[in-house]
Amino acid sequence: MALREYTSLGPKLIILMVLAGLFIGACSVTPQPTPSATPHPRTPTLTPLPTSTPTPPPLGTDANPLVLGIVSETDDPQALAAAKDAIKSVQDLTGFVMVAKSYQSYVLLLSDMAFGKVEVAFLPPLTYLYAHQKGFAEVGMLTNHFGVYQYGIRYYANVASKYTIFYDPANDRGTTDAATALKQFNGAQPCWVDPQSPSGYLAPLGYLAQNGYKVKSGAFLESPVGVIRALYITGVCDFGATFATTGDARTSPAVTKDLTDVMNRVVVIWQSDPVIPNLNLSFHPSVKLDMRQDLMFGFKDLVKDQKGRSIISIANNYEIVDLKNIDESVYQPLEDLVRVTTFDLLPLVGR
């Protein structure tokens, strides 16, 4: 079963005004009085009394609770209820007061996170890269999904193409570097999944671009199954790319029900390392390190049994079997692939 990649199309107005940083400010200019020819009596100068700025209540208290943001496009009450159960478990263990808030898109969630109204959130990889670049998200933990914390990509082709295979099925890995394996695709016609897919377009195109290889305009077939079927029948594209590490698109029932010899006809040419992180647990920079460590301990404790794993999975509509602490270096390979393609991350929020 393939790892589900998140998608969300948010309002353009909110995207441009909030996430791009074009927050509306207002300034007023007070007209200066015109000097009068008639002198006025001197008015005593009044010195205002000093005022004190109220100190906000400590974060994680009743007066200033931590907010966990989740995304439920359908406003599923079960997701919000599960999120409340999850934070209750974390709150009971850490003592920090928490509340849960549901959003219909990652655009709306990031809008509040940018203003410091959300301190904790689970974010998909490209969404996290955008939020981190803008300075309002820092990663703490990574989720284990289908037994892995990160996944990679595969390049496929029809066996009749006679491309050289650089893939070891016994060890499920590529047998050479990207520069060597992908050179044979230079100038070829690709099949992609969709323009926002990390594993079906952005990362595979990034590997080609990193090594100076250019391909023709690709056909977007909307799903990994579509890519495999197109390669099977031939005539649509020379090669295609989908996810790896978490499954094999060729084994989908939508493929095998009528393409019974697909495993022999469509072959893996090369597979990358796992470079795309799963859903993560991120913190707003206002959450201090010691508080983060306590919260991560609380979430880690939550997933130690099946009940807790079920709760956090329902809250995110995403199967989570474990969590582990990570740092920013985990995202460097993916960030490099996105940068070389010069893609703007803003339209990719939600993926």
Side-chain angles (χ1 to χ4, degrees):
M1 181 176 180
L3 182 144
R4 186 174 65 80
E5 295 172 342
Y6 279 74
T7 184
S8 174
L9 298 177
K12 291 183 179 179
L13 182 60
I14 295 175
I15 292 176
L16 292 175
M17 295 178 65
V18 179
L19 295 181
L22 301 181
F23 305 126
I24 298 176
C27 60
S28 59
V29 178
T30 304
Q32 297 297 317
T34 303
S36 172
T38 305
H40 293 280
R42 183 181 296 274
T43 303
T45 300
L46 299 179
T47 302
L49 295 175
T51 58
S52 59
T53 302
T55 301
L59 191 59
T61 61
D62 286 324
N64 188 16
L66 288 155
V67 178
L68 169 69
I70 64 164
V71 170
S72 173
E73 296 176 1
T74 60
D75 271 338
D76 182 2
Q78 287 187 324
L80 183 58
K84 290 179 178 179
D85 288 341
I87 61 174
K88 183 180 185 303
S89 174
V90 175
Q91 178 175 303
D92 289 346
L93 188 63
T94 65
F96 297 127
V97 179
M98 302 182 71
V99 297
K101 185 174 181 180
S102 178
Y103 296 84
Q104 287 189 306
S105 74
Y106 281 100
V107 170
L108 297 175
L109 169 60
L110 291 194
S111 174
D112 271 6
M113 204 166 185
F115 283 108
K117 297 179 180 179
V118 172
E119 287 84 19
V120 189
F122 285 89
L123 301 178
L126 298 178
T127 303
Y128 172 73
L129 283 183
Y130 176 82
H132 181 65
Q133 287 181 6
K134 293 301 179 182
F136 50 83
E138 295 175 351
V139 69
M141 306 185 84
L142 202 58
T143 62
N144 185 309
H145 181 59
F146 293 129
V148 298
Y149 289 95
Q150 296 169 259
Y151 61 106
I153 62 171
R154 279 179 178 170
Y155 295 84
Y156 292 92
N158 192 290
V159 69
S161 66
K162 304 300 183 182
Y163 284 127
T164 302
I165 294 174
F166 295 98
Y167 172 69
D168 176 8
N171 294 297
D172 190 29
R173 62 179 182 85
T175 58
T176 189
D177 55 53
T180 302
L182 304 183
K183 184 177 181 180
Q184 57 193 327
F185 294 149
N186 194 33
Q189 174 75 36
C191 273
W192 306 122
V193 174
D194 72 65
Q196 292 187 321
S197 171
S199 65
Y201 179 50
L202 303 175
L205 185 62
Y207 275 114
L208 290 161
Q210 270 186 341
N211 292 285
Y213 304 139
K214 295 182 179 180
V215 295
K216 296 177 181 178
S217 297
F220 291 101
L221 301 180
E222 303 303 320
S223 71
V225 166
V227 170
I228 298 300
R229 295 184 72 87
L231 291 170
Y232 183 92
I233 63 174
T234 71
V236 179
C237 46
D238 300 314
F239 73 93
T242 72
F243 60 87
T245 313
T246 59
D248 189 327
R250 296 173 297 176
T251 62
S252 167
V255 174
T256 58
K257 67 180 180 182
D258 57 336
L259 307 182
T260 55
D261 61 341
V262 66
M263 298 297 286
N264 296 323
R265 290 276 297 276
V266 179
V267 293
V268 181
I269 302 300
W270 183 73
Q271 178 171 303
S272 77
D273 292 332
V275 294
I276 305 174
N278 291 341
L279 193 74
N280 76 22
L281 180 67
S282 290
F283 298 98
H284 188 271
S286 62
V287 182
K288 303 302 182 184
L289 180 58
D290 56 347
M291 180 177 283
R292 294 185 199 188
Q293 291 173 337
D294 288 345
L295 291 169
M296 289 189 291
F297 178 80
F299 279 102
K300 181 70 175 177
D301 184 77
L302 174 67
V303 297
K304 69 182 180 182
D305 58 38
Q306 183 54 47
K307 179 181 179 181
R309 292 191 290 270
S310 176
I311 288 171
I312 201 67
S313 297
I314 293 171
N316 288 284
N317 190 28
Y318 184 88
E319 184 185 16
I320 297 172
V321 298
D322 205 353
L323 288 160
K324 72 174 182 179
N325 297 7
I326 62 166
D327 58 34
E328 300 297 340
S329 65
V330 170
Y331 285 85
Q332 195 61 56
L334 178 61
E335 189 170 16
D336 291 342
L337 292 170
V338 173
R339 183 183 298 110
V340 75
T341 60
T342 68
F343 283 113
D344 181 3
L345 284 170
L346 178 57
L348 302 176
V349 167
R351 302 303 292 265

